Amino acid sequence: MADFDDITGWREELEAFKATDEGRVFFGKFGWGNATRLTFEQEVRFAEELFRHDEIREALKKSAKWVKFLDDNPEFGQEDERFWDLCPVEDNKTVSAFKRWYAMKQNIALGPSTFSAGKRLAIDLANGDLPSLRSPEAEQFVREEFSWIVGFPKEAQ
């Protein structure tokens, strides 16, 4: 398992890998069709990593605040003249790039929904909508909203 204690240079490592033949294959077409069905534990571990490092945590908080704003203002959209002034584009890009780097380090094939549950758990925690990433509420939310892409261990008989 990869060590995530010191992520110094993670962006440069990601860019260097993407420039290699192996990286081009790994990230080819962003992995569409090659996605791995992740477990709840893998999704939670990804969410935990989003909180461990200052740069990523701050980007996540801004992205989460944006999601909350959009949820609270469903009539607000890209056609609004303030949309791009308010949207934390760079923070969203940081979280997305970190997801790609994390997948690379874990050797997890990316697809359109890889780590979607983990990201949403992190957003909901940042917005105060969950007590913790490993709470019964978090697991129930993922079971209800992401069971089509997240696997759970067999229940004890």
Side-chain angles (χ1 to χ4, degrees):
M1 186 165 151
D3 178 16
F4 296 104
D5 289 335
D6 182 3
I7 64 167
T8 303
W10 72 271
R11 287 177 188 270
E12 294 79 8
E13 184 180 10
L14 175 62
E15 290 307 311
F17 181 70
K18 285 170 33 179
T20 66
D21 288 340
E22 182 183 3
R24 282 188 282 281
V25 170
F26 186 83
F27 290 120
K29 295 186 180 180
F30 196 60
W32 302 109
N34 299 321
T36 303
R37 181 180 172 100
L38 300 180
T39 66
F40 177 71
E41 180 63 25
Q42 288 171 305
E43 294 280 357
V44 168
R45 276 189 268 142
F46 170 70
E48 289 170 340
E49 287 303 320
L50 293 173
F51 286 99
R52 284 188 66 205
H53 309 284
D54 293 341
E55 173 194 9
I56 311 304
R57 181 177 52 253
E58 292 309 310
L60 173 71
K61 287 164 126 180
K62 291 174 186 171
S63 292
K65 186 176 177 181
W66 177 243
V67 168
K68 179 82 167 146
F69 175 80
L70 292 175
D71 286 348
D72 291 346
N73 298 282
E75 74 290 343
F76 187 83
Q78 289 186 21
E79 68 284 346
D80 191 292
E81 65 184 41
R82 300 175 303 144
F83 185 89
W84 293 110
D85 292 332
L86 297 174
C87 179
V89 173
E90 291 306 312
D91 297 297
N92 292 340
K93 286 180 180 179
T94 295
V95 173
S96 180
F98 185 78
K99 174 180 82 169
R100 293 171 65 109
W101 177 80
Y102 182 83
M104 174 194 81
K105 296 299 276 186
Q106 294 285 51
N107 197 29
I108 293 174
L110 283 171
S113 55
T114 306
F115 298 122
S116 294
K119 182 179 175 188
R120 187 58 199 222
L121 287 173
I123 286 170
D124 286 356
L125 181 64
N127 283 333
D129 298 329
L130 284 175
S132 78
L133 294 171
R134 295 184 179 274
S135 66
E137 294 90 343
E139 183 175 335
Q140 186 61 36
F141 174 73
V142 172
R143 283 183 184 276
E144 290 173 2
E145 300 296 325
F146 293 95
S147 62
W148 59 281
I149 57 169
V150 176
F152 290 87
K154 299 277 187 227
E155 301 293 334
Q157 300 290 345

